[in-house]
Amino acid sequence: MTSHTLVRRGSDGAPRWDHPVEPARRPAEAAIEATLAKVRAWSPYDGDAMLDDVADALDPVPTPEDNVEELRQRLRGHLMQLLGITANYGAGDREQPDPRIKQASSMCEEEMQGDYRQGLAHLRRMGWAVNELLDLLVEREIVKKPDSLNSDSLPPIAEAQPLATAGTATEQAPTCGSTLAVDQAHGGQL
């Protein structure tokens, strides 16, 4: 006696593929909460905010002692964000990684120690590291150039204006703090 196997066929006559599918399971509450915490803590890329903090760190007027730790935390956050972008886009995967990437990662791990003056020096190094890494990523077109660096966002520079309107009988031009009168009717001779 011969055994026959029944094959289920679809409406078009082709055999159907039956595979076991497990019912969907809801993820654990802890995993959901951990993911939500990461989403809530995420901050979008803001190049202008980074440059503002870099300017605060590199400003010739030192940051007040009360604000040093807060600025350090913000700069460290910027470094971590830029290093994450670098890793995601493979900017550091070359045979010879850019020294700016190495500098930024070492600055991110370095702790601020010492007194106020040493803290200011640490802030300045972190500010330079953020600035250099941001420049690298903008140069490689991985991140958008901050809006504050676009030429159309800068205030226009006033063009040089003549000291007096042309065609007047007398023009006055400053020369070493004195005034020289020039008579245009006689070809500029006095």
Side-chain angles (χ1 to χ4, degrees):
M1 182 167 167
T2 310
S3 163
H4 292 282
T5 308
L6 292 176
V7 177
R8 297 174 109 182
R9 302 222 176 244
S11 61
D12 61 351
R16 289 182 49 190
W17 179 50
D18 288 329
H19 58 85
V21 177
E22 295 180 19
R25 289 180 290 185
R26 185 175 178 175
E29 291 293 323
I32 292 172
E33 289 300 322
T35 304
L36 283 175
K38 288 179 181 179
V39 169
R40 289 180 186 127
W42 175 77
S43 61
Y45 163 76
D46 186 1
D48 291 319
M50 288 181 190
L51 289 180
D52 287 344
D53 288 339
V54 166
D56 288 344
L58 300 178
D59 194 358
V61 177
T63 303
E65 193 168 356
D66 300 342
N67 298 345
V68 169
E69 181 59 28
E70 178 186 347
L71 182 57
R72 187 188 78 81
Q73 290 294 331
R74 287 197 315 260
L75 287 171
R76 187 172 185 277
H78 296 322
L79 278 175
M80 291 175 64
Q81 183 178 28
L82 292 174
L83 286 170
I85 292 170
T86 302
N88 285 339
Y89 286 93
D93 291 345
R94 299 181 177 177
E95 289 180 21
Q96 289 286 18
D98 197 287
R100 295 176 278 189
I101 297 171
K102 290 180 182 179
Q103 177 191 12
S105 62
S106 68
M107 283 304 303
C108 196
E109 295 169 2
E110 188 178 313
E111 288 297 322
M112 185 169 63
Q113 298 174 355
D115 62 353
Y116 173 63
R117 291 177 60 115
Q118 290 174 335
L120 287 177
H122 179 78
L123 282 181
R124 291 181 192 277
R125 288 193 307 272
M126 284 186 82
W128 276 112
V130 169
N131 189 48
E132 292 297 316
L133 190 55
L134 181 60
D135 284 348
L136 173 71
L137 295 177
V138 168
E139 176 184 301
R140 292 187 181 173
E141 297 180 350
I142 294 173
V143 296
K144 183 184 115 186
K145 183 181 200 180
D147 293 333
S148 61
L149 297 180
N150 291 333
S151 62
D152 52 332
S153 68
L154 298 176
I157 299 173
E159 293 184 26
Q161 300 294 322
L163 296 174
T165 58
T168 58
T170 305
E171 289 186 28
Q172 294 184 348
T175 57
C176 299
S178 65
T179 304
L180 174 67
V182 179
D183 184 3
Q184 289 184 340
H186 293 74
Q189 298 175 357
L190 293 176

